[in-house]
Amino acid sequence: MLEMIAAHPFLSAAGPAAASALLAAAQLFSAPRRTVIFTPEAAPEALYLLLEGSVGLSMRGADGTRGLLEIIGPDECFLMPAVILGGTWPFGAEALAPSRLLRIPAEAFHAIIVQDSRLAEASLTHIARQWQGLAEQLVEMKLTKASERVAHFLTGRLMPGGRVAMPEPRAAIAARLGMTPESLSRVMHGLEAAGLVRLQGRRVDVPDAKALSQGARASGH
Amino acid sequence: MLEMIAAHPFLSAAGPAAASALLAAAQLFSAPRRTVIFTPEAAPEALYLLLEGSVGLSMRGADGTRGLLEIIGPDECFLMPAVILGGTWPFGAEALAPSRLLRIPAEAFHAIIVQDSRLAEASLTHIARQWQGLAEQLVEMKLTKASERVAHFLTGRLMPGGRVAMPEPRAAIAARLGMTPESLSRVMHGLEAAGLVRLQGRRVDVPDAKALSQGARASGH
DNA sequence: CAGGGTGCTTGCGCTGCATCAAGGGGCCAC
DNA sequence: GTGGCCCCTTGATGCAGCGCAAGCACCCTG
């Protein structure tokens, strides 16, 4: 069990010494759907590793409304920027599907990172990748239309076999893609009408991945 | 002169030892408006500090179009995520106003960071802040309308005295805000008609900052 | 199995923003 | 000064996506 957790990409990048030190301070816990893992008001007191499930990372905008920044998948790590910067940040995290996660107190993380340069390097690489992820999403938001974003999202989640799992509520996916649940629904059914996907509740079948990524550009609807 | 550069926020956070080592490897250069500092095709071979002027950081989207990620201001540092991750990234940088910058070769940066933990810490903090900046922009893109984004951009650039300098071309600002130059022009002149700003070419006067940030929400035009 | 609730879908009208296409105004070269 | 160019503006039109509101399917509870 613990060995499986130590195989987490971030921990293995950090090296065995840091991994076991972090694990010693960490707590493992489960979160059913809709559990609030972290509220925007509190100071970030821990770093989280998602082992299984799906977590939505949200952020309060200037006017108080909440927007979904990113959907975190298994084997990912979140809240690191907030833990590094310290202070209070308007982030929130909520389980979008039944999840298992590991909570690493910020104090432990800080204590270990100052004496383990490999952990520092792994953290640097990790945040750089996170930055890149947001950058791609930002450019996509700025210059592609909603239907293309949906198609791209689906292809990004494509499993071998042409299946796409969407365990999280539609409203969360819509928020991640910067659109309303209604628009998402219309686009998805439009893709189905065009024969590019087949909808089966929380699962989606993609017969031809190449057709999907190209066809969405043409069919505006 | 060199002392002034060493006072750069990033260098002073990295500590005097790392700062002088980085400066020893760095090259200082100037770039007139429209100079391409870095093209999306090349591998990132250097980290840049902007001393004066304005630089646009762009990124190629999936379909080949280029979007403006962020406008870099004086005393900021850019391209660090690409330098840390290595490999080829679709980033580009271009001077949007006459600029002076410092070029730090990636090799030197990597050589110094492995033996200077304070530089590593400063880099970590820096990228975390960059991440936060993109996150805020992303949420803003997702849930506010164009006119509000313009107002927020203006308030963010407000100098004491109610002046806003906009040395970069309108098209670049529009791209940064995720809209067309035409829309930006219309919004700005709409704000002027509402008495919230006064336009004077590349300079904008804001008589009442509070009125601007609140008034833009109401006036859809 | 009935009841209620939640989450997904669908229809319709409307608004914001993009798009296309001219029209000005300032800046630089000469 | 004056011509040319680039950038910014302004107008007209179309469409993508939002808001609202109703209908429907599924799930959990009792």
Side-chain angles (χ1 to χ4, degrees):
Chain A
M1 185 57 212
L2 275 180
E3 289 77 20
M4 281 202 52
I5 297 177
H8 188 286
F10 177 67
L11 292 181
S12 59
S20 59
L22 288 172
L23 280 177
Q27 310 147 15
L28 183 65
F29 70 102
S30 294
R33 189 186 305 261
R34 306 244 127 223
T35 305
V36 172
I37 296 167
F38 186 78
T39 64
E41 287 74 27
E45 291 163 347
L47 179 69
Y48 295 87
L49 302 190
L50 181 58
L51 304 176
E52 199 183 327
S54 182
V55 167
L57 190 62
S58 64
M59 188 174 182
R60 238 205 356 256
D63 53 348
T65 53
R66 240 176 51 187
L68 196 66
L69 259 188
E70 187 59 292
I71 295 179
I72 310 292
D75 286 348
E76 290 186 57
C77 169
F78 61 98
L79 230 51
M80 190 185 285
V83 165
I84 284 170
L85 291 175
T88 307
W89 297 109
F91 298 139
E94 181 182 328
L96 302 178
S99 304
R100 284 192 316 122
L101 349 95
L102 199 67
R103 186 190 131 99
I104 301 174
E107 287 182 8
F109 179 74
H110 281 126
I112 298 167
I113 202 173
V114 295
Q115 48 186 317
D116 188 319
S117 67
R118 194 165 163 195
L119 174 59
E121 189 192 334
S123 301
L124 208 50
T125 305
H126 174 257
I127 302 204
R129 246 194 276 275
Q130 300 278 90
W131 184 90
Q132 195 213 346
L134 286 194
E136 284 173 359
Q137 203 188 140
L138 188 52
V139 169
E140 189 175 31
M141 272 299 295
K142 282 181 181 173
L143 43 78
T144 72
K145 51 181 62 174
S147 56
E148 283 183 57
R149 295 203 298 272
V150 172
H152 184 229
F153 180 81
L154 290 177
T155 58
R157 288 202 158 193
L158 207 55
M159 309 289 288
R163 285 256 165 99
V164 174
M166 297 175 58
E168 42 281 298
R170 289 283 200 271
I173 296 175
R176 152 63 233 264
L177 293 171
M179 55 207 267
T180 59
E182 294 97 321
S183 291
L184 175 60
S185 176
R186 280 184 254 267
V187 169
M188 299 268 297
H189 288 262
L191 292 175
E192 186 176 37
L196 295 171
V197 302
R198 186 161 7 205
L199 301 178
Q200 296 177 357
R202 293 201 179 278
R203 209 176 56 233
V204 179
D205 281 332
V206 179
D208 185 353
K210 205 160 187 70
L212 176 59
S213 52
Q214 293 179 350
R217 225 182 310 281
S219 81
H221 197 90
Chain B
M1 185 57 212
L2 276 180
E3 290 76 21
M4 279 202 55
I5 297 177
H8 188 286
F10 177 67
L11 292 180
S12 59
S20 59
L22 288 172
L23 279 178
Q27 311 146 15
L28 183 65
F29 71 101
S30 294
R33 189 186 305 262
R34 306 245 127 224
T35 305
V36 173
I37 295 166
F38 186 78
T39 64
E41 287 75 27
E45 290 163 347
L47 179 69
Y48 295 86
L49 302 191
L50 181 59
L51 305 175
E52 198 183 327
S54 181
V55 167
L57 190 61
S58 64
M59 188 174 183
R60 240 205 354 259
D63 53 347
T65 53
R66 239 175 51 187
L68 197 67
L69 258 188
E70 187 59 292
I71 295 180
I72 310 291
D75 287 347
E76 291 186 55
C77 169
F78 62 97
L79 229 51
M80 189 184 285
V83 166
I84 284 171
L85 292 175
T88 307
W89 297 109
F91 297 139
E94 180 182 328
L96 303 178
S99 304
R100 284 192 316 123
L101 350 91
L102 200 67
R103 186 189 131 100
I104 301 174
E107 289 182 7
F109 178 74
H110 281 126
I112 298 168
I113 202 173
V114 294
Q115 49 185 317
D116 188 321
S117 66
R118 194 167 162 194
L119 174 58
E121 188 192 335
S123 301
L124 208 51
T125 305
H126 174 257
I127 303 203
R129 245 193 279 273
Q130 299 278 90
W131 184 91
Q132 195 214 346
L134 286 193
E136 284 172 0
Q137 203 187 140
L138 189 52
V139 169
E140 189 175 29
M141 273 298 296
K142 282 181 181 171
L143 43 80
T144 71
K145 50 181 62 173
S147 55
E148 283 184 58
R149 295 202 297 273
V150 173
H152 184 228
F153 180 81
L154 290 176
T155 57
R157 288 202 157 194
L158 207 55
M159 309 289 288
R163 286 256 164 98
V164 174
M166 297 174 58
E168 42 280 298
R170 289 284 202 271
I173 297 173
R176 151 63 234 266
L177 293 172
M179 57 208 266
T180 59
E182 294 96 323
S183 291
L184 175 60
S185 177
R186 279 185 252 267
V187 169
M188 299 268 296
H189 287 263
L191 292 176
E192 186 177 36
L196 295 171
V197 303
R198 186 161 9 202
L199 301 179
Q200 297 177 357
R202 292 200 179 281
R203 210 177 55 234
V204 178
D205 281 332
V206 179
D208 185 354
K210 204 158 188 74
L212 176 58
S213 52
Q214 295 179 349
R217 227 182 307 281
S219 82
H221 194 97

